[in-house]
C-alpha cells in the first residue's frame, strides 16, 4: 500500500498544528485516510486530537526534573524518541493510513542544525514517499531582508532533511494585496529579490551585500520554486497546498486506491466463501 509522509516544519507560531488539523480533515473528506502525529513532547494542547502522540512515550517535564532547562529538555526528549521508534511505527500502522502528517516542534534547531530530528524522522518514514512542508509566517514577507532570512532557514531545513520540500506562506490573509499578488509570485524571477534588497533603505553595505549573495545562491539552486500562500480562512488555498502535497508525493494522484481495491477483493472473497457454504 502506498503511504505518504508529510513532515510539517516551521518556526514557533507559524501555524503548523492548525494547518495540520485542516489538511488532515480535508484529506479525510476527499477519501484518503489521513492521520496526525504529534512529534512535540513539549506541547500542552493541540487543535486536533492526535492519532499518534509521542507524549505517550516521553515528555519534556521528565527531563526538566533532571535539571535541564526548557530548550535542553526539548532537545533531549526528541533525541530520546529513538528508543520508541518501533512503538510509534506500530501506533501508525494500526490506522493503516494513506497520508501521515507529522506535526513537529517549533524549535527549528532540531531540524535545521541538529542531526537528531532528521535521523528520527528518516527512521520512522523508512522507504515510504515523504516530503517536508515548510511554513513561513506572513510577517517574514514584510521586507526583503526578512524574506531572505526566511528562505535561508527553509533551505537549511531542506539540506538537513534531504526530502522534497514545499514552502508555504501561512496567514496569507494578513499579507498586503501587493505582497500576495506581486511580490510572492515574482520571487523566483531572476534578479527580482535582489532588486528589492538593493532598493531597501537604511541597510548597511555589508549586510546588503550578504543578503544579495544569499538571494542569488537560493535562486540559482532552484530552491525558491513556487511559494504557496495559505490561510485557514480560504478553503481554496488549503486545497492548493493539499494538491501540491499530492503532486510531490504521488504525481498528483490521491492515494488509497490500493486499499479500496484490497478491501473490495476481500469482500468478494468473503462473498464467494459464503456462497460455497450455503446448503444445496
Amino acid at each position: 500500500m502506498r503511504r505518504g509522509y508529510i513532515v510539517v516544519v516551521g518556526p514557533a507560531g507559524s501555524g503548523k498544528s492548525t494547518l495540520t488539523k485542516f489538511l488532515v480533515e480535508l484529506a479525510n473528506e476527499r477519501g484518503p485516510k489521513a492521520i496526525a502525529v504529534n512529534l512535540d513532547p513539549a506541547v500542552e494542547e493541540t487543535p486536533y486530537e492526535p492519532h499518534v502522540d509521542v507524549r505517550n512515550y516521553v515528555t519534556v517535564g521528565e527531563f526538566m526534573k533532571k535539571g535541564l532547562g526548557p530548550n535542553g529538555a526539548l532537545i533531549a526528549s526528541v533525541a530520546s524518541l529513538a528508543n520508541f521508534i518501533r512503538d510509534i511505527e506500530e501506533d501508525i500502522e494500526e490506522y493503516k493510513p494513506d497520508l501521515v502528517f507529522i506535526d513537529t516542534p517549533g524549535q527549528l534547531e532540531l531540524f535545521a542544525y541538529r542531526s537528531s530530528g532528521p535521523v528520527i524522522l528518516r527512521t520512522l518514514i523508512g522507504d515510504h514517499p515523504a516530503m517536508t512542508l515548510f511554513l513561513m509566517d506572513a510577517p517574514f514577507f514584510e521586507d526583503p531582508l526578512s524574506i531572505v532570512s526566511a528562505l535561508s532557514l527553509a533551505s537549511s531545513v531542506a539540506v538537513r532533511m534531504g526530502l522534497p520540500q514545499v514552502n508555504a506562506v501561512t496567514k496569507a490573509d494578513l499579507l498586503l494585496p501587493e505582497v500576495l499578488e506581486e511580490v510572492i509570485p515574482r520571487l523566483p524571477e531572476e534578479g527580482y529579490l535582489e532588486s528589492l534588497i538593493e532598493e531597501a533603505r537604511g541597510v548597511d553595505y555589508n549586510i546588503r551585500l550578504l543578503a544579495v549573495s544569499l538571494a542569488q545562491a537560493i535562486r540559482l539552486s532552484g530552491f525558491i520554486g513556487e511559494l504557496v500562500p495559505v490561510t485557514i480562512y480560504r478553503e481554496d488555498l488549503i486545497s492548493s497546498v493539499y494538491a501540491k502535497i499530492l503532486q510531490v508525493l504521488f504525481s498528483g494522484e490521491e492515494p488509497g486506491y490500493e486499499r479500496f481495491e484490497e478491501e473490495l477483493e476481500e469482500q468478494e472473497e468473503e462473498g464467494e466463501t459464503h456462497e460455497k457454504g450455503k446448503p444445496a
Side-chain angles (χ1 to χ4, degrees):
M1 180 180 69
R2 289 191 307 173
R3 175 178 300 160
Y5 284 77
I6 305 93
V7 184
V8 186
V9 180
S14 58
K16 296 183 296 298
S17 297
T18 302
L19 186 58
T20 295
K21 173 183 182 294
F22 278 83
L23 287 171
V24 169
E25 289 177 351
L26 175 61
N28 284 321
E29 289 172 2
R30 293 281 298 270
K33 187 173 184 179
I35 66 170
V37 176
N38 171 47
L39 202 73
D40 188 350
V43 69
E44 294 183 0
E45 295 182 5
T46 60
Y48 55 85
E49 186 67 33
H51 298 84
V52 178
D53 196 336
V54 299
R55 292 174 298 178
N56 293 329
Y57 301 103
V58 62
T59 64
V60 163
E62 297 171 24
F63 289 88
M64 292 185 68
K65 290 177 181 177
K66 298 178 181 178
L68 294 177
N71 290 335
L74 179 58
I75 292 171
S77 58
V78 169
S80 73
L81 288 175
N83 300 316
F84 302 100
I85 291 295
R86 181 63 60 85
D87 300 283
I88 298 170
E89 287 176 336
E90 291 175 356
D91 290 345
I92 291 173
E93 188 58 39
E94 284 184 9
Y95 290 94
K96 300 191 181 302
D98 303 306
L99 295 172
V100 180
F101 288 84
I102 302 178
D103 184 16
T104 64
Q107 192 170 356
L108 273 178
E109 178 187 354
L110 294 165
F111 304 98
Y113 309 117
R114 293 183 177 271
S115 61
S116 56
V119 167
I120 287 170
L121 285 167
R122 283 196 291 268
T123 304
L124 186 63
I125 291 167
D127 296 329
H128 293 285
M131 59 163 287
T132 301
L133 177 61
F134 187 86
L135 307 188
M136 292 175 276
D137 211 341
F140 282 125
F141 289 79
E142 292 178 351
D143 66 82
L145 293 186
S146 295
I147 294 174
V148 172
S149 296
L151 291 174
S152 297
L153 185 55
S155 64
S156 294
V157 170
V159 169
R160 296 298 296 173
M161 294 291 290
L163 296 173
Q165 182 165 307
V166 170
N167 296 321
V169 183
T170 56
K171 305 172 189 174
D173 53 298
L174 302 180
L175 293 170
L176 295 172
E178 56 265 31
V179 174
L180 183 61
E181 300 167 8
E182 171 82 8
V183 174
I184 290 178
R186 293 190 61 189
L187 284 176
E189 290 183 14
E190 182 177 354
Y192 180 69
L193 180 53
E194 294 92 312
S195 68
L196 294 180
I197 296 169
E198 295 287 0
E199 295 168 5
R201 297 181 179 180
V203 180
D204 177 81
Y205 172 80
N206 291 323
I207 297 298
R208 189 189 305 275
L209 185 62
L210 174 60
V212 168
S213 298
L214 286 171
Q216 289 175 339
I218 292 170
R219 178 181 53 76
L220 289 173
S221 69
F223 177 74
I224 295 180
E226 178 187 359
L227 294 173
V228 186
V230 65
T231 170
I232 61 173
Y233 302 109
R234 285 184 54 179
E235 292 183 8
D236 61 321
L237 294 183
I238 297 174
S239 295
S240 294
V241 173
Y242 179 67
K244 196 73 175 177
I245 289 170
L246 296 182
Q247 182 63 42
V248 171
L249 292 177
F250 306 113
S251 300
E253 295 182 4
E254 285 188 303
Y257 297 115
E258 296 96 334
R259 173 169 55 82
F260 298 144
E261 289 176 357
E262 289 172 2
E263 291 176 354
L264 182 59
E265 289 176 0
E266 289 177 1
Q267 291 174 4
E268 290 175 347
E269 289 175 0
E270 289 176 1
E272 290 175 0
T273 303
H274 180 71
E275 288 294 328
K276 291 179 181 178
K278 284 185 177 181

